[in-house]
Amino acid sequence: MMATFDRLVVGGSVMSVRVAEPDGAGPHPGIVVTHHRGALDAFTCRFSDDLAAAGYVAAAPSFYHRRPDGEATQASMAALDDAEMIADMNATARYLGGRADVRADALGIVGHCMGGRAAFLGASTDGVYRACGIFYGGNIFKPWGAGNPAPFARIADISCPVIGFFGNDDDNPSPADVAALSAGFAGHAIRHSFHRYDGAGHAFQNFLGDNFREAQAKDAQVKLLVFLSSALGPGAG
């Protein structure tokens, strides 16, 4: 496994994309990894590397490329716009699909926290994905940026199976939010499986934070890889 950085131009701005590549020539399935508030930090990098070790080419775009260098991540996150994020994810998916070591017909999208929200948004605005993974994605019922609908309003446009992981002690998304999401998927006959963990709150898979819960994090990762293999084919490529 190796990791490199590439650069894509999106809307006139240069976006860094961290690409974790499996061993072997492939072609492999590809995953767009949508980062949490911490951007391409040690957690996002290790998550991407774990996907690569399982046989997936994992490309993680930096959504903050339009923001000033050195800006606090909270401020960068607050400035995000759904239309711009959609453009970033579309560009990353096209980049993956154009690589010789990636199967263009086997792309997924997975993210944590705000990245879980972004994964929902990406799957609802780009039909290229064959799998979507949402880790405790909050604010799915709220739009980011003027004139944009909330991601949830786009739910009918999701055409791939979805897996979700949530902590029952979380308040964004709350258990009620998770129930509403599940009902929305069911109402549109979208195949989905949600896993809810007692004793876990937000960001339970993030080993960098106080909310990390090792047992729940490992269980979720095993379930994610089984789901991806079923939806995209084995990661061995």
Side-chain angles (χ1 to χ4, degrees), residues 55-71:
Y56 300 90
V57 177
S62 174
F63 292 128
Y64 298 156
H65 61 96
R66 299 174 183 86
R67 305 302 304 163
D69 290 341
E71 182 178 61

Side-chain angles (χ1 to χ4, degrees), residues 33 45 59 68 77 84 111 133 136-137 143 151 153 178 185 191 221 224 227 236:
V33 176
C45 291
M77 177 179 168
E84 293 177 340
Y136 37 83
V178 175
F185 284 126
R191 183 157 59 92
Q221 193 71 6
L224 174 69
F227 167 76

Side-chain angles (χ1 to χ4, degrees), residues 117 120 134 136-142 151-152 155 164-186 192 194-196 202:
R117 178 187 183 278
F120 183 107
I134 299 170
Y136 37 83
N139 296 309
I140 289 175
F141 300 94
K142 298 178 181 179
F152 188 74
I155 192 170
F165 304 96
F166 307 94
N168 285 330
D169 296 337
D170 201 347
D171 59 5
N172 185 24
S174 67
D177 291 337
V178 175
L181 282 174
S182 183
F185 284 126
H192 70 288
F194 279 6
H195 304 278
R196 313 182 197 200
H202 198 71

Side-chain angles (χ1 to χ4, degrees), residues 50-51 54 56 165 220-230:
D50 287 346
L51 288 176
Y56 300 90
F165 304 96
Q221 193 71 6
V222 169
K223 287 181 168 63
L224 174 69
L225 292 178
V226 170
F227 167 76
L228 292 176
S229 180
S230 175

Side-chain angles (χ1 to χ4, degrees), residues 188-210:
H188 291 285
I190 298 167
R191 183 157 59 92
H192 70 288
S193 57
F194 279 6
H195 304 278
R196 313 182 197 200
Y197 295 97
D198 290 331
H202 198 71
F204 67 81
Q205 205 177 42
N206 183 1
F207 58 85
L208 298 176
D210 294 338

Side-chain angles (χ1 to χ4, degrees), residues 50-163:
D50 287 346
L51 288 176
Y56 300 90
V57 177
S62 174
F63 292 128
Y64 298 156
H65 61 96
R66 299 174 183 86
R67 305 302 304 163
D69 290 341
E71 182 178 61
T73 57
Q74 186 68 44
S76 296
M77 177 179 168
L80 289 174
D81 181 282
D82 284 339
E84 293 177 340
M85 294 176 72
I86 290 167
D88 294 344
M89 291 182 282
N90 287 350
T92 306
R94 300 303 173 272
Y95 163 81
L96 272 177
R99 288 176 58 112
D101 60 347
V102 173
R103 289 175 46 211
D105 63 345
L107 299 184
I109 186 166
V110 181
H112 295 77
C113 189
M114 75 169 221
R117 178 187 183 278
F120 183 107
L121 184 64
S124 66
T125 55
D126 192 344
V128 72
Y129 299 111
R130 299 293 177 261
C132 174
I134 299 170
F135 282 85
Y136 37 83
N139 296 309
I140 289 175
F141 300 94
K142 298 178 181 179
W144 288 1
N148 296 316
F152 188 74
R154 305 176 187 261
I155 192 170
D157 295 322
I158 294 178
S159 58
C160 65
V162 177
I163 193 167

